[in-house]
Amino acid sequence: MESSDVLILGGGLAGLTAAIHLSSLGFQVTVIEKNEYPKHKVCGEYISNEVLPYLNWLKLDLEELNPTTITTLQFSIKSGKTITTTLPLGGFGISRYTLDNFLFQKAVKNGCHVVMETVENVVFNDDSFVTITSNGVEMKSKFVLGAFGKRSTIDQKMKRKFIKQKSPWLAVKGHYKGNFPDDVVGLHNFKGGYCGVSKVENDVVNICYLADYDTFKNYKNVEEYQVSVIEKNPNLKSIFESMSLIFEKPITISQISFAEKQTVDNHILMIGDTAGLIHPLCGNGMAMAIHSAKIASELVSKYLRKEIPSRQVLEERYIREWDYNFKQRLKFGRWLSSLLQNPKLSEVALRILTVFPFLLPIIINKTHGKPIILES
């Protein structure tokens, strides 16, 4: 039976960040990931600069990936009325295709064992885990981190509470070529959803939108929905008409849940979207995934070094720290989404923001954190 100090279920942004962190401290880390690299993922692909101190500490120089520097938010409601503001911290654009592959290579270089497989079961017994893959391989570990994304078959096997609730959201993403400012992230509302637009590396424009399934199902395909609903916002109409799709076709994911999730389940510490998913309109999911990996990695390393007395104390501390950093952001994101989906309220809100533009950065700060402070 293979064994390691920490086994990570999922090799996305959170999982690979945790793998790099823990392996850099000398721990044996195994990552199980079902997909090969590189791979496109449905994602807004904007990262807040709040994570830069931590990425620098991990010796991850993303500048070699040529990310775009983003300083400005352009926001519009479905009528097309628009307001523009400077982002308090700013951020950068980088595709998951490029970033995840970069992190994967760094993890392997750090000595992480990456297994391309799917997980069949995870059993906790006698203060350790046994993880069984679909081909019958058993792996023993002291810790398991759950980083398997927004929605997974592992959620179903673990019978997590949120998985039983139907979700009305689906997301669509495509990479495009066309004219769009390097330094702007656009957030544009439309009936039943909202759309993010920003540049990533190589002059590519990422367009990713969240749509209400009840609205979407009235149309035959993505293209018809796009023309009939999304492009009713004049800003989005102008953007799509000036763009050409690079992908063969847009990629989609359905049943996206913004319900509360358990941060610790069956003694597995959940990180990234597996622990909680913020509405994409807040533009901060990638930064939260990276930050949650840091929190979990620091606590796990302290436990393995016997600086934390018990697993129970560790789990309680992780829940407390996760809630402190993210719970209010998620709650505010849900409230903001509800407001924007109400045409009358969103119109009033934009009118207020036009008169008092200083309020918009305050709203942005509600869904973003401060630059991550590293322990000495």
Side-chain angles (χ1 to χ4, degrees):
M1 184 185 293
E2 298 180 36
S3 65
S4 57
D5 294 316
V6 182
L7 190 143
I8 301 172
L9 307 179
L13 193 54
L16 290 170
T17 301
I20 292 166
H21 185 139
L22 289 162
S23 59
S24 71
L25 297 177
F27 298 111
Q28 292 179 312
V29 179
T30 297
V31 178
I32 302 179
E33 167 57 39
K34 64 181 180 180
N35 298 307
E36 297 203 357
Y37 301 93
K39 180 181 171 61
H40 287 289
K41 291 186 177 178
V42 177
C43 181
E45 301 186 330
Y46 162 83
I47 306 181
S48 165
N49 282 337
E50 66 197 69
V51 301
L52 286 180
Y54 178 49
L55 295 178
N56 291 335
W57 182 84
L58 290 174
K59 296 181 171 59
L60 297 172
D61 182 12
L62 299 191
E63 284 303 313
E64 62 187 86
L65 305 179
N66 300 311
T68 56
T69 299
I70 297 174
T71 59
T72 304
L73 169 67
Q74 187 181 69
F75 169 76
S76 75
I77 57 175
K78 67 177 187 176
S79 67
K81 290 181 180 177
T82 305
I83 187 167
T84 300
T85 188
T86 299
L87 289 162
L89 280 178
F92 55 96
I94 188 80
S95 72
R96 293 293 300 276
Y97 184 88
T98 296
L99 180 57
D100 286 14
N101 190 49
F102 172 79
L103 296 176
F104 161 66
Q105 291 172 352
K106 293 289 184 181
V108 171
K109 191 176 179 182
N110 261 21
C112 297
H113 182 205
V114 181
V115 180
M116 299 300 180
E117 256 296 347
T118 55
V119 174
E120 191 63 35
N121 199 13
V122 182
V123 178
F124 179 78
N125 189 36
D126 197 23
D127 205 37
S128 66
F129 294 88
V130 174
T131 301
I132 304 156
T133 67
S134 56
N135 64 356
V137 174
E138 296 187 358
M139 302 181 186
K140 189 173 183 180
S141 61
K142 297 169 187 172
F143 269 95
V144 170
L145 300 183
F148 36 87
K150 300 173 181 67
R151 192 178 187 89
S152 168
T153 53
I154 308 174
D155 290 311
Q156 294 173 337
K157 288 171 183 176
M158 291 180 65
K159 297 179 180 176
R160 298 184 75 197
K161 289 179 182 177
F162 85 92
I163 206 77
K164 298 171 186 175
Q165 305 169 22
K166 263 200 160 186
S167 172
W169 297 105
L170 63 90
V172 180
K173 167 210 169 144
H175 277 178
Y176 294 78
K177 278 289 184 183
N179 245 338
F180 194 80
D182 290 359
D183 62 343
V184 171
V185 57
L187 179 63
H188 304 289
N189 205 219
F190 58 87
K191 184 182 178 182
Y194 33 86
C195 179
V197 186
S198 60
K199 265 193 179 175
V200 293
E201 72 283 357
N202 301 325
D203 209 35
V204 168
V205 180
N206 179 52
I207 300 180
C208 186
Y209 61 83
L210 190 73
D212 175 73
Y213 182 72
D214 285 340
T215 307
F216 185 86
K217 69 182 181 183
N218 296 320
Y219 301 90
K220 293 177 185 175
N221 51 44
V222 168
E223 291 75 19
E224 187 180 326
Y225 177 74
Q226 183 178 299
V227 172
S228 304
V229 178
I230 295 176
E231 292 185 12
K232 294 298 181 188
N233 181 321
N235 292 298
L236 290 171
K237 181 177 175 64
S238 174
I239 289 168
F240 276 110
E241 286 181 348
S242 67
M243 298 285 169
S244 57
L245 183 65
I246 298 172
F247 290 177
E248 185 179 331
K249 61 180 181 179
I251 56 176
T252 63
I253 181 173
S254 61
Q255 286 289 308
I256 299 173
S257 175
F258 298 102
E260 287 191 51
K261 299 178 180 180
Q262 288 174 276
T263 316
V264 178
D265 203 331
N266 191 32
H267 302 287
I268 299 172
L269 304 189
M270 304 300 183
I271 58 178
D273 291 345
T274 316
L277 186 60
I278 195 165
H279 274 270
L281 67 90
C282 301
N284 205 31
M286 291 174 75
M288 284 178 56
I290 292 168
H291 193 174
S292 68
K294 171 191 176 287
I295 295 168
S297 298
E298 285 179 342
L299 290 172
V300 167
S301 65
K302 285 178 181 178
Y303 178 84
L304 292 172
R305 289 170 170 169
K306 304 191 186 306
E307 294 173 25
I308 294 177
S310 69
R311 189 180 293 272
Q312 181 181 342
V313 170
L314 178 146
E315 291 175 3
E316 288 171 353
R317 280 189 60 180
Y318 180 63
I319 292 169
R320 193 162 60 246
E321 289 195 33
W322 198 94
D323 285 350
Y324 174 79
N325 283 283
F326 308 124
K327 194 167 188 177
Q328 289 306 312
R329 291 197 219 181
L330 294 173
K331 200 176 284 186
F332 191 81
R334 286 193 287 269
W335 173 82
L336 198 56
S337 173
S338 299
L339 183 146
L340 290 178
Q341 290 308 297
N342 184 309
K344 288 182 181 177
L345 287 178
S346 61
E347 188 79 36
V348 170
L350 191 70
R351 220 175 284 138
I352 293 169
L353 290 172
T354 304
V355 177
F356 304 105
F358 67 88
L359 291 174
L360 190 53
I362 294 172
I363 292 170
I364 293 169
N365 280 328
K366 287 282 187 183
T367 60
H368 287 63
K370 295 176 182 177
I372 293 173
I373 298 171
L374 297 160
E375 296 185 359
S376 55

